[in-house]
């Protein structure tokens, strides 16, 4: 307060308060994925990563209105088909605002993996927990340890090799 022409001022405590802004979690490979419990569109409770014991799981933040997500979907589907029998699974976190469109979309596109949905879009608890700032946002996680095996958004041509590497690492550890 009281700034003068020569740049001098007095520091005073504000009378206003704001909510704490928590730092984004460490989502680098080797870090632990923040655990959470949520409901899927099918009404099932999912505990992540604990419900994925023995699996390598792609945690996929996406939305039906997201152009880059839709462009990535064929790649996600083909990798799911290729690696599912080897212990690969997907958990979707939808940033959609309405469940009807989401349910019909995932059925039409053959997205048979569980989808977390609460209609809060960018305010979805998992979006906040993971500090997601854009979609698609993907992490490859070890379901046994919660370790992030591939971060930095393993998309496009990098997704298959990231899954392959994660499955190989998991096999060596077991």
């Amino acid at each position: 307060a009281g700034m003068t022409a020569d740049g001098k001022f007095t520091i005073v405590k504000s009378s206003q308060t704001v909510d704490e802004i928590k730092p984004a979690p460490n989502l680098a490979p080797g870090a632990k994925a923040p655990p959470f419990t949520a409901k899927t569109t099918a009404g099932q409770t999912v505990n992540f990563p604990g419900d994925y014991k023995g699996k390598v799981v792609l945690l996929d933040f996406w939305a039906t209105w997201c152009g880059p997500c839709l462009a990535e979907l064929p790649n996600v589907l083909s990798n799911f088909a290729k690696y599912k029998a080897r212990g690969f699974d997907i958990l979707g976190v939808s940033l959609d605002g309405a469940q009807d469109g989401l349910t019909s979309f995932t059925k039409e596109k053959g997205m048979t993996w569980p989808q977390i949905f609460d209609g809060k879009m960018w305010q979805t608890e998992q979006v906040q927990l993971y500090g997601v700032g854009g979609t698609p946002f993907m992490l490859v996680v070890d379901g046994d340890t919660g370790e992030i095996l591939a971060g930095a958004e393993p998309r496009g041509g990098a997704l298959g090799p990231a899954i392959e590497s994660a499955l190989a690492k998991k096999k060596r550890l077991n």
Side-chain angles (χ1 to χ4, degrees):
M3 181 168 289
T4 63
D6 62 356
K8 294 181 182 174
F9 59 91
T10 305
I11 297 176
V12 295
K13 183 176 181 175
S14 174
S15 61
Q16 299 177 351
T17 59
V18 295
D19 292 334
E20 176 185 5
I21 298 174
K22 295 183 180 178
N26 177 4
L27 301 178
K32 298 288 185 181
F36 61 83
T37 300
K39 289 274 187 197
T40 68
T41 54
Q44 302 296 110
T45 298
V46 62
N47 295 299
F48 183 82
D51 286 349
Y52 290 89
K53 298 286 185 208
K55 305 266 185 180
V56 166
V57 60
L58 178 70
L59 184 60
D60 183 16
F61 294 86
W62 73 287
T64 60
W65 45 260
C66 166
C69 300
L70 302 183
E72 184 67 20
L73 185 55
N75 184 41
V76 173
L77 287 162
S78 67
N79 278 291
F80 183 63
K82 181 176 182 178
Y83 295 110
K84 182 174 174 47
R86 292 179 49 196
F88 175 67
D89 211 342
I90 301 174
L91 176 59
V93 180
S94 171
L95 279 74
D96 282 274
Q99 186 171 338
D100 292 346
L102 172 65
T103 301
S104 60
F105 182 91
T106 56
K107 185 174 183 177
E108 176 187 308
K109 298 295 184 185
M111 299 167 69
T112 58
W113 52 88
Q115 298 289 334
I116 294 171
F117 168 83
D118 67 8
K120 296 179 182 174
M121 302 177 80
W122 291 103
Q123 298 309 309
T124 295
E125 180 181 339
Q126 294 74 30
V127 170
Q128 297 295 307
L129 180 65
Y130 278 76
V132 175
T135 54
F137 181 83
M138 304 174 182
L139 295 170
V140 177
V141 178
D142 183 324
D144 291 317
T145 65
E147 179 184 350
I148 297 171
L149 301 173
E153 307 202 38
R155 298 182 352 212
L159 182 58
I163 296 166
E164 186 78 40
S165 174
L167 289 168
K169 179 177 181 180
K170 188 155 191 60
K171 188 175 183 181
R172 283 193 309 270
L173 296 176
N174 290 334

